[in-house]
């Protein structure tokens, strides 16, 4: 089919961009999340069998009760529930939901950064955005605890500041993939050192433990408050990412082609970077710094659905949660009964994958 016929077909059918590979990826990801979620809700100090966990998850007193959902999503008192249902729905299910939101946000953020830098090695973690957002959160926890209600906004400001510094360092009559990656590593290292230094200003042991959880990335102890914190920002970031998919596709064609099509390169690049920072910040605000999800997922999805960013973004929305839920299950089981931070598991997977991508690249660009 020619490009003209394909364009005409997609104009007639607004969902023409959805193909079999994308549907298969989304369905497989949903299945992985479902199975991983059921494993998650069966784990914990309160012992219950897998069958009891299933019954609690699908308890009609919760599933078919709008009032309970309103209480969970908006905050409020819950009606009388069985002990199993209460444990599952107030402690274990929100951990799965947070993993879903974190995975989707980081994957979408990484996909956007890879487009605006035209570099498949880019991600919030590699470009220093995660470290900048993490530093902002630690400052809030340790120094400005009264601003805790604004964690996502402060994390976004910290991430945006880090990315601006990276871009300024990498700029030399334009940027190159190597300079962006190197600048991200340098800025990330500096910000991580500042994070470590903040520990010396924390007198409360609980604050120190909380700060350590932020720097390693952890879903331990998450509840519906974290879901309520991340959900609106996640919806906004994913919507804006899908809305900007056409601009992302144009950026992939190169700056000269984009300018010939009338695009204001720098305005579009920084607007999309803002969306990527928002998505990463929504994740970091509830789970801390979880590395490499934004690097691995977009690359895997791209190999399955292709480079069209409308399909790629939607694929990341489904595949990112699958990776995070599986990683969190691994974090629970690897050293059971102890728990690893989920960021350790994603790092063990993502670090070698990053080296693989570096060796695969034929030409990263001139410094």
């Amino acid at each position: 089919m020619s490009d003209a016929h394909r364009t005409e077909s997609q104009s007639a059918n607004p969902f023409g961009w959805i193909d079999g590979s994308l549907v298969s990826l989304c369905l497989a990801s949903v299945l992985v999340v479902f199975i991983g979620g059921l494993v998650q809700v069966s784990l914990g100090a309160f012992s219950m069998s897998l069958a009891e966990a299933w019954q609690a998850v699908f308890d009609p007193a919760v599933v078919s009760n709008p009032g309970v959902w309103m209480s969970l999503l908006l905050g409020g008192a819950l009606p009388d529930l069985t002990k199993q249902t209460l444990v599952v729905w107030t402690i274990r299910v929100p951990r799965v939901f947070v993993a879903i939101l974190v995975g989707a946000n980081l994957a979408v953020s990484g996909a956007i950064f890879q487009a605006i830098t035209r570099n498949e090695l880019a991600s919030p973690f590699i470009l220093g955005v995660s470290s900048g957002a993490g530093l902002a959160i630690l400052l809030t926890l340790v120094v400005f605890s009264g601003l805790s209600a604004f964690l996502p906004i402060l994390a976004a400001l910290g991430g945006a500041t880090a990315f601006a510094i990276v871009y300024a360092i990498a700029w030399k009559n334009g940027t190159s993939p190597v300079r962006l990656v190197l600048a991200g590593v340098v800025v990330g290292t500096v910000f991580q050192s500042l994070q470590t230094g903040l520990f010396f200003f924390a007198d409360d042991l609980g604050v120190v433990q909380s700060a350590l959880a932020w720097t390693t990335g952890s879903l331990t102890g998450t509840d519906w408050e974290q879901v309520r914190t991340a959900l609106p920002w996640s919806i906004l970031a994913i919507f804006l990412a899908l809305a900007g998919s056409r601009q992302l596709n144009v950026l992939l064609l190169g700056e000269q082609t984009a300018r010939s099509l009338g695009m204001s390169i720098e305005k579009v690049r920084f607007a999309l970077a803002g969306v990527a920072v928002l998505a990463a910040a929504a994740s970091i605000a509830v789970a801390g710094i979880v590395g490499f999800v934004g690097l691995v997922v977009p690359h895997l999805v791209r190999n399955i659905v292709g480079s069209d960013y409308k399909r790629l973004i939607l694929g990341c929305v489904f595949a990112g949660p699958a990776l995070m839920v599986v990683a969190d299950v691994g974090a629970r089981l690897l050293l059971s009964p102890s728990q690893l931070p989920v960021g350790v598991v994603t790092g063990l997977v993502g670090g070698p994958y990053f080296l693989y991508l570096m060796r695969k690249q034929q030409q990263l660009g001139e410094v």
Side-chain angles (χ1 to χ4, degrees):
M1 181 183 293
S2 67
D3 291 341
H5 288 161
R6 185 180 292 109
T7 302
E8 182 179 350
S9 174
Q10 291 184 4
S11 298
N13 179 11
F15 300 103
W17 52 275
I18 299 178
D19 58 9
S21 62
L22 177 60
V23 172
S24 299
L25 172 67
C26 294
L27 291 177
S29 298
V30 170
L31 181 61
V32 169
V33 169
F34 182 74
I35 294 174
L38 287 178
V39 173
Q40 271 287 35
V41 299
S42 66
L43 300 173
F46 183 85
S47 178
M48 67 177 73
S49 67
L50 191 59
E52 290 175 326
W54 276 54
Q55 291 174 357
V57 169
F58 298 108
D59 189 341
V62 175
V63 175
S64 60
N65 189 335
V68 173
W69 282 102
M70 293 291 288
S71 297
L72 293 175
L73 293 175
L74 301 179
L78 291 171
D80 290 335
L81 300 170
T82 66
K83 185 178 295 185
Q84 288 84 355
T85 299
L86 196 62
V87 168
V88 165
W89 277 97
T90 60
I91 299 176
R92 300 180 184 179
V93 168
R95 178 167 179 160
V96 176
F97 282 174
V98 171
I100 290 171
L101 294 174
V102 170
N105 279 317
L106 290 178
V108 168
S109 178
I112 295 175
F113 277 126
Q114 289 172 15
I116 63 179
T117 61
R118 298 183 64 202
N119 178 11
E120 66 176 4
L121 299 180
S123 73
F125 186 77
I126 301 299
L127 291 176
V129 173
S130 294
S131 297
L135 178 61
I137 286 179
L138 285 181
L139 278 171
T140 303
L141 292 174
V142 176
V143 183
F144 307 107
S145 56
L147 300 177
S148 298
F150 304 99
L151 275 181
I153 297 175
L154 296 172
L157 290 175
T161 300
F163 183 71
I165 294 172
V166 168
Y167 210 86
I169 293 173
W171 184 268
K172 182 182 177 183
N173 297 324
T175 61
S176 74
V178 168
R179 290 207 303 274
L180 282 169
V181 171
L182 292 179
V185 171
V186 171
V187 171
T189 301
V190 172
F191 276 42
Q192 286 169 8
S193 298
L194 292 175
Q195 290 174 28
T196 303
L198 280 176
F199 291 145
F200 293 97
F201 295 94
D203 298 325
D204 187 349
L205 181 60
V207 172
V208 173
Q209 291 175 335
S210 178
L212 285 173
W214 287 113
T215 57
T216 54
S218 176
L219 298 178
T220 302
T222 53
D223 56 24
W224 286 101
E225 181 180 354
Q226 280 72 40
V227 176
R228 292 190 288 268
T229 297
L231 184 59
W233 304 102
S234 303
I235 293 173
L236 177 61
I238 292 170
F239 172 78
L240 293 175
L242 287 170
S245 58
R246 179 180 176 277
Q247 286 73 23
L248 291 166
N249 284 331
V250 173
L251 285 176
L252 289 178
L253 300 176
E255 293 190 5
Q256 185 174 355
T257 302
R259 285 195 178 92
S260 69
L261 294 174
M263 176 180 284
S264 176
I265 300 295
E266 296 305 324
K267 290 182 180 179
V268 170
R269 178 179 283 133
F270 280 102
L272 292 170
V275 176
V277 169
L278 176 63
S283 164
I284 295 166
V286 295
I289 302 173
V290 181
F292 293 109
V293 175
L295 170 72
V296 173
V297 175
H299 185 74
L300 294 177
V301 173
R302 189 179 291 110
N303 288 337
I304 296 172
V305 305
S307 298
D308 178 21
Y309 256 78
K310 187 172 286 189
R311 289 198 298 268
L312 182 59
I313 293 294
L314 186 59
C316 286
V317 170
F318 283 85
L323 176 60
M324 274 299 300
V325 170
V326 170
D328 196 32
V329 170
R332 296 285 297 274
L333 294 178
L334 283 177
L335 296 179
S336 182
S338 300
Q339 295 187 36
L340 281 174
V342 69
V344 173
V345 177
T346 60
L348 291 174
V349 174
Y353 196 82
F354 177 71
L355 295 176
Y356 159 74
L357 288 180
M358 287 189 66
R359 292 183 62 86
K360 182 183 176 183
Q361 292 276 53
Q362 295 297 319
Q363 184 178 357
L364 284 173
E366 297 297 328
V367 175

